[in-house]
């Protein structure tokens, strides 16, 4: 039996002439256009990630922690989105039950993973915080070796008004900013830690060799983990809306794909009896 069929009504006196209902067409093209949008977004993400990786391909041999590379993370996200949305588009357009089943199974798996991650993140909050601290300190270690990490950390520190992971002295981990370093940046922090809005690469020089009270007049002394927590508390409604909308969209896509697959199977069964 074929796994793909057209579910358009048949003309004449055939028993399929009244099947399917118009809602079937709505479901089909809703799935198609919804996934077209996500497919376009995934292509943009992949293009940005590919460009970033090509631009810095010469330094990849010097980076020891690719898992903290924003370009690699973007590439992984883009690939997952591309595969799922592509199968959804083609499965709906060609009315292929195999692709549709793969599509809604993957949506179900992603949905379960998101729910499990949220629950585990809440239950094991302290451990998650330690992992975040570990990841951020690895980023600090590679700050001047990776331009993407540099941009990411500078943006986070500027927007959240923070410096370092748990405290500003975390920058002593970096071989260039450490006080024992022969580099001109020794005993300093990046410009993105500075209180001033102006871009001044030297405003954080010497911040690691003065007291915290003195440093607080020049730089942000609050760690970025605390900054993230404060940002979430201040934007609780926005984050709750986003966290709720993503699973809802996935659930709608899953239900529509299952409904459409069922309609196709019904048509195949009726054709088999005719």
């Amino acid at each position: 039996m074929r796994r793909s069929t057209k579910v358009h009504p048949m003309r004449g006196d055939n028993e399929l002439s009244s099947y399917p209902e118009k809602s079937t067409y709505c479901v089909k093209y809703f799935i198609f256009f919804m996934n077209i949008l996500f497919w376009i977004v995934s292509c943009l993400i992949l293009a940005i990630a590919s460009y970033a990786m090509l631009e810095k391909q010469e330094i990849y041999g010097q980076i020891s922690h690719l898992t903290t590379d924003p370009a690699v993370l973007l590439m992984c996200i883009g690939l997952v989105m591309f595969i799922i949305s592509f199968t959804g588009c083609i499965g709906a357009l060609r009315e292929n039950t195999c692709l549709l089943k793969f599509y809604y199974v993957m949506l179900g798996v992603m949905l379960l993973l998101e729910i499990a991650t949220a629950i585990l993140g809440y239950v094991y909050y302290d451990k998650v915080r330690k992992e975040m601290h570990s990841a951020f300190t690895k980023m600090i270690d590679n700050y001047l070796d990776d331009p993407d990490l540099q941009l990411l950390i500078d943006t986070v520190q500027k927007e959240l008004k923070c410096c370092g992971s748990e405290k500003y002295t975390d920058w002593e981990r970096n071989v260039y900013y450490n006080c024992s370093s022969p580099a001109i940046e020794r005993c300093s922090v990046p410009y993105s830690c500075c209180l001033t809005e102006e871009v001044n690469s030297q405003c954080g020089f010497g911040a690691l060799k003065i007291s915290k009270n003195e440093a607080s007049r020049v730089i942000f002394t609050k760690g970025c983990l605390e900054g993230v927590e404060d940002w979430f508390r201040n934007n609780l409604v926005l984050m709750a809306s986003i966290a709720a909308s993503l699973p809802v969209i996935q659930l709608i896509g899953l239900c529509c794909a299952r409904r459409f697959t069922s309609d196709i199977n019904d048509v195949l069964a009726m054709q088999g009896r005719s």
Side-chain angles (χ1 to χ4, degrees):
M1 183 177 291
R2 292 180 302 164
R3 305 306 298 168
S4 177
T5 186
K6 294 297 179 183
V7 294
H8 54 79
M10 298 178 65
R11 295 181 180 177
D13 298 328
N14 192 287
E15 63 177 334
L16 299 180
S17 60
S18 62
Y19 188 87
E21 299 176 355
K22 290 183 180 180
S23 60
T24 301
Y25 296 106
C26 295
V27 171
K28 171 180 177 176
Y29 290 109
F30 175 78
I31 296 171
F32 176 74
F33 286 113
M34 181 181 70
N35 283 284
I36 277 288
L37 291 176
F38 282 101
W39 181 76
I40 292 171
V41 171
S42 71
C43 288
L44 289 174
I45 292 173
L46 287 173
I48 294 170
S50 299
Y51 176 78
M53 294 176 75
L54 286 173
E55 282 292 302
K56 60 179 186 180
Q57 58 182 335
E58 294 181 359
I59 68 170
Y60 269 124
Q62 306 168 17
I63 301 175
S64 57
H65 298 287
L66 287 179
T67 53
T68 60
D69 182 7
V72 173
L73 296 176
L74 271 181
M75 181 66 73
C76 294
I77 293 171
L79 279 174
V80 172
M81 284 184 63
F82 181 90
I83 292 170
I84 295 177
S85 58
F86 183 76
T87 55
C89 286
I90 302 302
L93 189 64
R94 301 296 300 170
E95 297 169 11
N96 187 293
T97 55
C98 290
L99 290 178
L100 287 170
K101 285 178 181 177
F102 175 82
Y103 170 70
Y104 70 68
V105 166
M106 287 301 296
L107 282 183
V109 170
M110 295 296 294
L111 187 58
L112 289 174
L113 286 175
E114 289 166 11
I115 294 172
T117 301
I119 293 172
L120 291 174
Y122 179 78
V123 174
Y124 298 101
Y125 173 76
D126 291 336
K127 188 171 183 179
V128 170
R129 199 177 192 282
K130 288 180 182 178
E131 290 298 322
M132 289 177 62
H133 172 62
S134 176
F136 201 92
T137 52
K138 287 177 182 177
M139 292 181 184
I140 289 175
D141 292 343
N142 296 288
Y143 175 74
L144 290 178
D145 299 325
D146 188 338
D148 287 337
L149 274 181
Q150 197 169 342
L151 176 62
L152 177 63
I153 292 175
D154 286 339
T155 301
V156 169
Q157 292 189 149
K158 269 294 183 186
E159 292 299 320
L160 298 182
K161 303 184 185 305
C162 59
C163 187
S165 177
E166 292 186 327
K167 51 188 181 299
Y168 73 98
T169 53
D170 288 333
W171 281 100
E172 290 183 2
R173 291 177 52 93
N174 188 282
V175 294
Y176 299 101
Y177 291 103
N178 189 283
C179 288
S180 61
S181 170
I184 59 173
E185 297 92 351
R186 64 182 177 274
C187 276
S188 303
V189 295
Y191 78 92
S192 55
C193 287
C194 296
L195 297 176
T196 177
E197 293 293 330
E198 298 178 1
V199 177
N200 181 355
S201 60
Q202 297 183 347
C203 63
F205 276 29
L208 295 178
K209 61 182 179 182
I210 57 179
S211 67
K212 185 176 180 179
N213 286 334
E214 291 177 307
S216 64
R217 302 191 189 104
V218 182
I219 64 170
F220 303 116
T221 55
K222 178 177 68 176
C224 287
L225 290 184
E226 184 182 347
V228 169
E229 292 171 347
D230 291 343
W231 188 89
F232 270 93
R233 279 193 289 267
N234 295 332
N235 298 273
L236 193 59
V237 175
L238 173 64
M239 295 309 299
S241 301
I242 294 173
S245 62
L246 288 177
V248 168
I249 293 172
Q250 290 173 303
L251 190 59
I252 291 173
L254 188 154
C255 292
C256 288
R258 283 184 61 87
R259 159 73 188 275
F260 191 48
T261 303
S262 178
D263 286 345
I264 294 173
N265 288 331
D266 288 345
V267 171
L268 286 170
M270 293 175 73
Q271 287 176 344
R273 294 195 303 266
S274 61

